[in-house]
Amino acid sequence: MVRSHFNFDWSAAIQGWLQKNVEQSYRSDMHRWPTLLSFDATIYRCGPNARLFVVRDKPSASAIPSISGGNETIAWPNSLPNVINPFEETVLPDLLERVYAHFELRQQDFAIIIPDSEHSTIEEDFRSWTIEQEKAARWQLEFAMKRQLLYVRGFDQVGGGFFLPPGYEFLAKDCERFFQDHPRYEKNVFVMTRFVPGDKLLVALDVELRRVLRENDLDPVRADDKMYLSDRNLWNNVCVYMLCCSKGIAILEDRLVDEFNPNVALEYGFMRALNKPTMLLADVGFRNLRADVIGTLRETFDITDIKETIESPVSRWLRELN
């Protein structure tokens, strides 16, 4: 039987674990780090042998932490999937994403799943964990810290890894409209390419590239797909696409115009500045290499033989990402 003060023990231990990691990595931010001063913890049953701790930041340092009682748990929400082993590497990321969404957790809040234990102390609990459970706990804490760091540094995160950098908060409503069409941030891929309406080569390239990405359960988009800005500002519309996509592919070709397309260069730089994985996909005949991309690994295709050469480099890049 789980000890009577299990919830209190682990709420305090989780806070202490977080504090230790923040102190090691972000010591200068400790005074303003959420959930370190005070918090509310609500504990839910999670499968037959685990429990979910939902930890919410309390804004006042003088507020006494509130922890749901003893060793009791609240029933697992019906709208969330029931899992036997929430610590499985293939299960945990998606489950946690759903948990954060269901409980509408803010950036300063977090959730963590802990195994049940019949031992009498935290130390004995931890020693009884499997390697899988230890790895899952570390991953969950790192995930929580990344979200909280964005909050501490003034970034606005909506969920699923999406965030609005400082200065782009005015695009929040436009991003919401984008997500109505493309709701899975982690699946959205921004395609950066030259715009020449009606050009047969570029049309064929767009069709084949989107096909390959969709077959890999991704959602490819281009900035000319739809206008999301009410004032029809072109650059801000491009920003919405770049902000709302988790990754991108920049097409390098100069057979139509002998240049490194400036729009592609600008968009590629924006994506990389946001530290989003971005593939450089270059035509084998591309000549206009610039100093800032010469040292960057590129994949190649043949724009005169798109159907036979586009799938392999894109699939290879996606495998490396995963």
Side-chain angles (χ1 to χ4, degrees), residues 190 223 229 233-243 267:
F190 181 52
L229 275 292
N233 182 289
L234 291 178
W235 170 244
N236 286 340
N237 193 60
V238 174
C239 288
V240 167
Y241 278 82
M242 292 188 290
L243 293 168
E267 293 161 2

Side-chain angles (χ1 to χ4, degrees), residues 26-41:
Y26 309 107
R27 180 184 290 271
S28 62
D29 294 311
M30 280 194 67
H31 67 286
R32 53 180 176 171
W33 201 276
T35 64
L36 290 186
L37 296 176
S38 190
F39 62 89
D40 288 331

Side-chain angles (χ1 to χ4, degrees), residues 17 19 42 47 71 74 76 89 93 116 135-136 158 188 199 201 214 224 231 249-250 256 281 285 288 311:
W17 194 12
Q19 181 171 335
T42 309
N71 63 356
I74 300 171
W76 185 251
E89 189 173 355
D116 278 338
K135 184 178 179 181
V158 174
N188 296 336
D199 182 85
L201 277 179
R214 285 171 179 151
D224 62 337
D231 64 0
I249 296 179
L256 299 179
L281 183 58
N288 287 278
E311 184 166 358

Side-chain angles (χ1 to χ4, degrees), residues 50-247:
R51 54 189 66 197
L52 169 72
F53 287 70
V54 176
V55 182
R56 299 181 188 272
D57 180 54
K58 274 189 174 180
S60 174
S62 61
I64 299 174
S66 172
I67 302 168
S68 60
N71 63 356
E72 299 299 320
T73 58
I74 300 171
W76 185 251
N78 291 329
S79 59
L80 291 174
N82 286 307
V83 294
I84 301 299
N85 180 13
F87 306 107
E88 287 185 26
E89 189 173 355
T90 58
V91 172
L92 183 59
D94 181 68
L95 177 62
L96 207 62
E97 180 183 336
R98 293 171 181 267
V99 164
Y100 274 79
H102 174 83
F103 290 104
E104 298 181 343
L105 296 184
R106 305 163 300 172
Q107 284 176 267
Q108 59 266 48
D109 308 325
F110 68 93
I112 185 167
I113 301 170
I114 296 293
D116 278 338
S117 171
E118 297 182 358
H119 296 290
S120 57
T121 67
I122 286 281
E123 291 76 15
E124 290 175 319
D125 292 342
F126 191 75
R127 285 196 294 268
S128 71
W129 285 7
T130 65
I131 293 175
E132 180 183 58
Q133 290 168 342
E134 290 181 19
K135 184 178 179 181
R138 285 195 296 270
W139 185 88
Q140 291 176 90
L141 188 70
E142 289 171 3
F143 181 79
M145 286 181 62
K146 288 178 182 178
R147 285 173 50 91
Q148 290 184 324
L149 179 62
L150 291 173
Y151 171 77
V152 169
R153 298 288 170 82
F155 285 69
D156 177 26
Q157 184 172 21
V158 174
F162 168 76
F163 65 89
L164 286 174
Y168 289 88
E169 296 87 351
F170 72 99
L171 293 177
K173 292 296 183 182
D174 307 296
C175 289
E176 288 180 12
R177 285 191 286 271
F178 180 95
F179 284 126
Q180 290 174 4
D181 296 332
H182 309 280
R184 300 295 297 273
Y185 168 78
E186 72 280 3
K187 300 291 186 182
N188 296 336
V189 182
F190 181 52
V191 177
M192 293 154 269
T193 186
R194 187 189 308 275
F195 297 140
V196 182
D199 182 85
K200 291 183 179 180
L201 277 179
L202 293 181
V203 170
L205 174 58
D206 181 68
V207 169
E208 283 302 309
L209 181 56
R210 292 191 194 232
R211 177 189 64 79
V212 173
L213 292 170
R214 285 171 179 151
E215 287 179 356
N216 283 275
D217 193 31
L218 296 169
D219 188 2
V221 293
R222 288 191 349 181
D224 62 337
D225 286 348
K226 183 175 178 178
M227 172 59 69
Y228 288 97
L229 275 292
S230 57
D231 64 0
R232 305 193 65 78
N233 182 289
L234 291 178
W235 170 244
N236 286 340
N237 193 60
V238 174
C239 288
V240 167
Y241 278 82
M242 292 188 290
L243 293 168
C244 295
C245 289
S246 63
K247 56 187 71 69

Side-chain angles (χ1 to χ4, degrees), residues 262-296:
N263 291 333
V264 172
L266 178 61
E267 293 161 2
Y268 173 74
F270 192 101
M271 294 288 284
R272 294 303 299 129
L274 292 175
N275 200 31
K276 298 190 179 191
T278 306
M279 176 191 190
L280 285 173
L281 183 58
D283 175 28
V284 291
F286 186 70
R287 305 175 299 279
N288 287 278
L289 287 172
R290 302 187 337 183
D292 54 349
V293 297
I294 286 176
T296 305

